[in-house]
Amino acid sequence: MPLVPRFMVHRVASRYVAGETMADALATVADLNAKGAMATLDVLGEEVTERSRAEEGVKEYLKLLEAIHQQGLKANISVKPTMLGLKIDEGFCRDNLERLVQAAAQRDRFVCIDMEDRSTTDATLRLFRDLLERHGHVGTVLQAYMRRTLKDIGELPPEGANIRLCKGIYVEPVADSWKGYETVRHNFVAALDKLFRQGVYVGIATHDEFLLSAAEALIDRHGLAPHQYEFQMLLGVTEELRDILIARGHRLRVYVPYGPDWYPYSKRRMRENPEIALHVIRATLFGR
Ligand code: FDA
């Protein structure tokens, strides 16, 4: 990965990122809505170390919430705590997040606090609990590869939790995370079952066919109606599966990132699927 030149990562980014501007992202959401999918919009950026950068992020999200509202789009927002200054100061990050949650609540929208690496897990869950208690309209993410996840589910607030469950994308030490592909799947299913048992609204965020079928079986076993959960997928990934889930009557939300800060996000997506990097390199070098 470190050897892949930036311009090639940019070509890959065009598959996973809606564009550099808000207008690009809103056009993508309108298109998804027309195809029966909802969206969650992410302004790209993370690991911010200057307060001014975090404040710029807040301003962009506030404008975005207003634009979603004005255009009547079926969309929420997803936010990374380190973009809003978690690594600078937790109180500063909480104030920034609170402004977004309040603005979302006024427009009957929702903020999902993305989960980053393990250095942020405790703080992210604290922020989530605090804002849920005071404003509602907020959820967060749990990662099936983390050994702590079943315990974290047991400690979720009894009312109103809205949790996106995904495998997890950061590189974590074995002491904290399950490593085997099948082990992570197993923990995903156990976590989803526990979330459903606790009555949590879950965003089932995966493109893994095995997990999609396991999720359908759990939805059936728990007797859930389509408004009690949703599936979630990333922009540019397994579009055919996405359409199939919609046709089967499930709610489906697509994660739509945008902004000039596309580099780290796109690198993570390429690491996840190195074949794509190879296709791009081949197309760039050999025109096919
Ligand atoms: P897996 O990686 O095994 O992929 C299953 C299949 O999907 C692959 O075989 C391939 O066909 C396809 N696929 C997967 N990734 C692809 C890619 N990049 N390009 C092309 N095809 C691909 N993580 C996290 O740590 N914190 C978070 O907040 C979030 N948020 C989030 C939101 C949403 C809506 C989704 C879908 C995912 C996340 N993730 C995340 C990422 C998540 O943890 C995980 O890394 C990816 O979803 C890939 O895992 P799968 O479950 O899809 O399985």
Side-chain angles (χ1 to χ4, degrees):
M1 272 305 304
L3 300 178
V4 180
R6 202 177 159 91
F7 81 93
M8 285 189 188
V9 180
H10 191 250
R11 288 191 65 163
V12 174
S14 62
R15 167 178 177 160
Y16 297 116
V17 173
E20 296 215 351
T21 68
M22 191 183 295
D24 295 332
L26 293 169
T28 301
V29 172
D31 185 46
L32 287 166
N33 284 178
K35 292 176 179 152
M38 305 177 288
T40 184
L41 280 155
D42 169 55
V43 180
L44 288 166
E46 52 197 90
E47 297 292 332
V48 161
T49 52
E50 291 154 37
R51 282 176 186 254
S52 57
R53 290 280 314 276
E55 279 152 9
E56 278 165 28
V58 172
K59 272 192 210 145
E60 178 74 8
Y61 270 116
L62 289 174
K63 271 196 232 155
L64 180 62
L65 280 166
E66 182 54 22
I68 292 169
H69 179 65
Q70 289 295 331
Q71 297 185 22
L73 295 171
K74 289 187 188 147
N76 291 320
I77 59 170
S78 286
V79 181
K80 289 195 172 33
T82 68
M83 190 215 195
L84 297 187
L86 182 63
K87 292 285 170 75
I88 302 170
D89 174 61
E90 190 173 324
F92 172 65
C93 178
R94 191 188 50 238
D95 293 346
N96 287 334
L97 255 175
E98 185 161 13
R99 288 175 65 194
L100 300 187
V101 173
Q102 279 174 321
Q106 281 161 9
R107 295 163 179 82
D108 201 20
R109 303 286 165 168
F110 176 87
V111 179
C112 180
I113 313 174
D114 283 353
M115 188 60 82
E116 299 175 82
D117 68 31
R118 76 188 193 291
S119 69
T120 67
T121 312
D122 285 327
T124 302
L125 291 173
R126 262 196 306 277
L127 292 165
F128 159 65
R129 282 195 203 96
D130 176 52
L131 292 168
L132 179 69
E133 204 176 296
R134 290 187 297 119
H135 303 287
H137 296 265
V138 66
T140 191
V141 180
L142 290 172
Q143 298 151 319
Y145 69 5
M146 292 301 279
R147 293 177 190 265
R148 58 181 286 171
T149 288
L150 286 175
K151 184 167 172 288
D152 286 335
I153 293 172
E155 293 169 2
L156 286 172
E159 297 288 322
N162 179 319
I163 296 293
R164 175 192 302 152
L165 180 66
C166 64
K167 286 185 180 174
I169 182 70
Y170 299 88
V171 181
E172 302 291 12
V174 66
D176 295 304
S177 62
W178 303 107
K179 291 291 172 194
Y181 191 74
E182 291 305 326
T183 321
V184 174
R185 278 178 163 172
H186 177 78
N187 207 42
F188 192 110
V189 175
L192 185 58
D193 188 36
K194 187 164 180 177
L195 286 162
F196 282 160
R197 266 189 281 130
Q198 287 182 205
V200 174
Y201 183 98
V202 189
I204 308 160
T206 182
H207 320 89
D208 182 345
E209 209 177 43
F210 173 88
L211 289 179
L212 295 174
S213 81
E216 280 199 346
L218 282 176
I219 289 162
D220 183 53
R221 191 180 324 144
H222 287 271
L224 299 179
H227 67 278
Q228 292 175 296
Y229 63 88
E230 65 188 47
F231 285 94
Q232 297 186 354
M233 293 191 175
L234 300 171
L235 188 68
V237 180
T238 56
E239 283 162 22
E240 197 183 0
L241 268 180
R242 184 168 93 191
D243 296 341
I244 290 169
L245 288 175
I246 294 171
R248 289 171 66 75
H250 299 296
R251 285 155 64 99
L252 187 126
R253 191 177 302 277
V254 179
Y255 189 96
V256 178
Y258 77 95
D261 228 347
W262 45 266
Y263 190 66
Y265 179 85
S266 307
K267 264 199 346 193
R268 280 202 296 278
R269 298 277 85 81
M270 280 174 71
R271 200 175 51 219
E272 204 165 46
N273 198 331
E275 269 177 38
I276 289 180
L278 288 177
H279 287 315
V280 174
I281 291 166
R282 209 178 292 139
T284 307
L285 297 180
F286 309 111
R288 64 187 172 87

